[in-house]
Amino acid sequence: MADLSDISNKFAEVEGVQTAKLEAKAQAKREKKAVIGDTQPMLSALSDMSSFLKDVTTQREKKISDGVAKYKPLKKRKARAEEQSQNIATMTAVMNDPDFRADPFSAISTHLKLKFSAPTV
């Protein structure tokens, strides 16, 4: 019987080594993506935010039940098409921006800092 437990322990070791190699290979593959890079740390951070999202969801449900939440009416087809063309133009400009191409995370964080630190009129 001792032989079976030794075999299962060795099998578990080999399985662990193989899993580690596969994970390292997968991480290297994720890091090769040009714009995005390795998103695994972000995905793990998202699981940490689940409690925050639950709080936000319950607050929103409370507002809806209180009748406070207001829904926007749908836009007309022409307005939606115009908005879509503006969004496409903006995204094209962002993708062609040399700062964004060099370091997307830095460009986005700079944009957000400027957008939310500016005084509203």
Side-chain angles (χ1 to χ4, degrees):
M1 280 298 178
D3 293 332
L4 289 178
S5 64
D6 289 340
I7 291 173
S8 65
N9 288 340
K10 290 191 187 265
F11 181 73
E13 282 183 35
V14 170
E15 226 176 40
V17 169
Q18 287 177 343
T19 305
K21 284 182 182 179
L22 288 175
E23 182 59 34
K25 190 175 184 180
Q27 182 179 0
K29 186 177 180 181
R30 289 190 306 261
E31 288 175 349
K32 285 183 182 179
K33 291 185 181 178
V35 175
I36 300 172
D38 188 7
T39 58
Q40 194 64 34
M42 278 193 269
L43 292 175
S44 63
L46 286 176
S47 65
D48 296 339
M49 293 187 63
S50 64
S51 63
F52 171 74
L53 293 176
K54 287 178 185 176
D55 293 341
V56 170
T57 305
T58 55
Q59 288 174 357
R60 183 172 183 219
E61 289 172 355
K62 183 180 177 191
K63 284 182 182 179
I64 290 172
S65 67
D66 293 342
V68 176
K70 295 181 182 178
Y71 294 99
K72 296 179 183 178
L74 292 176
K75 294 181 181 180
K76 304 277 185 191
R77 177 178 278 184
K78 187 175 181 180
R80 288 192 316 249
E82 184 177 313
E83 184 179 359
Q84 184 178 14
S85 66
Q86 288 174 352
N87 289 341
I88 291 171
T90 302
M91 194 58 161
T92 304
V94 167
M95 294 304 288
N96 292 331
D97 185 42
D99 293 334
F100 180 79
R101 285 188 170 265
D103 189 8
F105 291 115
S106 174
I108 291 171
S109 65
T110 303
H111 169 72
L112 292 175
K113 285 178 187 174
L114 292 174
K115 182 173 177 112
F116 291 113
S117 68
T120 56
V121 177

